[in-house]
Amino acid sequence: MRTVEHLPLPQPRREERADAARNRAHLLCVARRMVAELGVEKVTMDGLADRAGLGKGTVFRRFRTRAGIFHALFDEEEKRFQERVLSGPPPLGPGAPAAARLAAFGLARLEFLVEHLALVRAGLDTGQPKPLQHSPSLFHVQMLLSEAAPAAAASGTLALQLVAALEGPILLYLHPAEQAGPGLVVADLGASWCDLVERVCG
Amino acid sequence: MRTVEHLPLPQPRREERADAARNRAHLLCVARRMVAELGVEKVTMDGLADRAGLGKGTVFRRFRTRAGIFHALFDEEEKRFQERVLSGPPPLGPGAPAAARLAAFGLARLEFLVEHLALVRAGLDTGQPKPLQHSPSLFHVQMLLSEAAPAAAASGTLALQLVAALEGPILLYLHPAEQAGPGLVVADLGASWCDLVERVCG
């Protein structure tokens, strides 16, 4: 009998993994505090390493780029948003007709993106777009469109274009000044999103 | 009589302007050659100043950011594209029904964006989005939509969402690998753009 077979996974590897998880949680916590205190534009990889008391290599391995820091912070907010879609009250959550959920999804998404605007923009890395299969918005829009307008959803790319119609104006085109204040533009975008959904779902 | 009043604008200022125009044309020419030889990712503001034989300050004042270099290069391609829309043959140019022109606009735009993909992505500055009123695509889409579906065009934001539906998948979501090769995804995007236009214009 070789006792080694009964041992758990080699101890050093486990410790490393636990360390990595702790470092990640710690870095995100420090980064969130820095964003709140300094604003997105003043947060750098070096500054984050200093303040977290970790090596620059650790920060680099974790996030790859400066945008990666903000992307990771936004991902945590994204998870909470997805929870509302997957198990929150209708019409955003399950229980309403698909076309109504699609309209509600757009309204909630616009509000959410504007709320986290600095973070989501800073997290965009135009050199390394996020692979499609990792877009939770695309997943929901495709699913709801398949139910509300199966013919429109057949190609898969119309769902992607609807996601772009929803997120693009906030991410790409609108100047911060146009979004600030009373949220007028966002209200307009919400109304025309509902119009678009109605036209597409017929 | 004070002769100074009959003089043209002070000579030094005029010379400066001519210099600035020459510097701009020269910088764009050198930048275009560097992009072709080295690829977008290897072009820096310092490298451009060196190769153009101009001071770093001149390059900085002209383009503000590294993205500004690529944005200026893309703008020159953009002007040629706009010419095709404004005075080229139908259905992209004038002479076809508005809904058909809108569909043709999308197909031509997708091809155009993919052709200049590296440049357009490198020219995106997510910290400084381009003000809406400077988007020629929005101008055309709004104009064609007003003719093809006046009710849909009334708010102005639906036209913006259609521009985002068209440009967003290329600019934001698709991974370079997904766009390369046989252009399958782009063909799909073109087909679903035509579907979308038909649904919106009824």
Side-chain angles (χ1 to χ4, degrees):
Chain A
M1 187 184 96
R2 288 163 54 192
T3 43
V4 72
E5 283 177 334
H6 301 281
L7 287 174
L9 282 171
Q11 210 52 27
R13 244 178 104 195
R14 278 189 120 184
E15 269 172 12
E16 247 179 85
R17 281 199 213 131
D19 264 11
R22 261 198 307 275
N23 280 349
R24 178 186 164 77
H26 175 55
L27 279 169
L28 287 177
C29 176
V30 173
R32 196 174 301 108
R33 223 157 48 213
M34 287 178 80
V35 167
E37 283 171 24
L38 308 171
V40 155
E41 45 309 310
K42 297 234 170 96
V43 177
T44 61
M45 293 187 77
D46 285 359
L48 176 57
D50 273 0
R51 177 110 163 227
L54 289 167
K56 287 175 193 176
T58 306
V59 175
F60 181 83
R61 271 192 306 279
R62 175 58 60 195
F63 300 116
R64 299 301 181 93
T65 62
R66 187 175 165 270
I69 299 172
F70 308 116
H71 189 81
L73 286 178
F74 179 69
D75 249 14
E76 303 222 311
E77 306 296 338
E78 179 76 283
K79 276 175 203 141
R80 272 189 282 276
F81 182 80
Q82 299 311 320
E83 274 307 306
R84 291 168 55 200
V85 182
L86 290 170
S87 52
L92 179 57
R101 286 191 73 192
L102 197 53
F105 178 85
L107 296 175
R109 189 76 188 166
L110 286 167
E111 237 178 63
F112 171 77
L113 288 178
V114 169
E115 190 187 339
H116 301 289
L117 186 61
L119 213 52
V120 71
R121 276 203 171 146
L124 282 177
D125 183 347
T126 51
Q128 285 291 334
K130 225 179 158 183
L132 275 180
Q133 64 269 30
H134 298 160
S135 162
S137 289
L138 181 59
F139 173 83
H140 295 303
V141 169
Q142 176 72 38
M143 187 191 69
L144 294 170
L145 192 64
S146 298
E147 206 180 318
S155 78
T157 45
L158 190 61
L160 173 62
Q161 286 169 329
L162 288 181
V163 172
L166 182 59
E167 302 192 339
I170 303 287
L171 300 183
L172 280 179
Y173 302 108
L174 292 187
H175 209 259
E178 292 172 301
Q179 300 171 320
L184 260 185
V185 174
V186 174
D188 285 349
L189 284 171
S192 59
W193 167 259
C194 293
D195 184 15
L196 184 60
V197 167
E198 209 174 293
R199 285 169 189 271
V200 168
C201 298
Chain B
M1 186 183 97
R2 288 165 52 192
T3 43
V4 71
E5 282 178 336
H6 301 281
L7 287 173
L9 283 170
Q11 210 52 28
R13 243 180 104 195
R14 279 190 120 185
E15 269 172 11
E16 248 178 83
R17 282 200 212 130
D19 264 10
R22 262 197 308 275
N23 280 350
R24 179 187 163 75
H26 175 55
L27 279 170
L28 286 177
C29 176
V30 173
R32 196 175 299 108
R33 225 158 47 215
M34 287 179 80
V35 167
E37 283 171 24
L38 309 171
V40 155
E41 44 311 309
K42 297 234 170 97
V43 177
T44 62
M45 297 190 72
D46 285 358
L48 175 57
D50 274 358
R51 177 110 162 226
L54 290 167
K56 287 175 194 176
T58 306
V59 174
F60 181 82
R61 273 192 303 280
R62 175 58 60 197
F63 300 116
R64 300 300 183 92
T65 62
R66 188 175 164 268
I69 301 172
F70 308 115
H71 189 81
L73 286 177
F74 179 70
D75 248 14
E76 303 224 310
E77 306 295 337
E78 179 76 284
K79 276 176 202 138
R80 273 190 281 277
F81 182 80
Q82 299 310 321
E83 274 307 305
R84 292 168 56 199
V85 182
L86 290 170
S87 54
L92 179 57
R101 286 191 74 193
L102 197 52
F105 178 85
L107 295 176
R109 189 75 188 166
L110 286 168
E111 236 179 63
F112 171 77
L113 288 177
V114 169
E115 190 186 339
H116 301 288
L117 184 61
L119 213 53
V120 72
R121 276 201 172 150
L124 283 178
D125 183 346
T126 51
Q128 283 292 332
K130 228 179 155 181
L132 275 180
Q133 64 268 32
H134 297 160
S135 162
S137 289
L138 181 59
F139 173 82
H140 295 302
V141 169
Q142 176 71 39
M143 187 191 68
L144 295 169
L145 193 64
S146 298
E147 207 181 318
S155 79
T157 45
L158 190 60
L160 174 61
Q161 286 169 328
L162 287 181
V163 172
L166 183 57
E167 301 192 339
I170 302 288
L171 300 183
L172 280 179
Y173 302 107
L174 291 186
H175 208 258
E178 291 172 301
Q179 300 172 321
L184 261 184
V185 174
V186 174
D188 285 348
L189 285 170
S192 58
W193 167 258
C194 294
D195 184 15
L196 184 60
V197 168
E198 208 174 293
R199 286 169 188 270
V200 168
C201 297

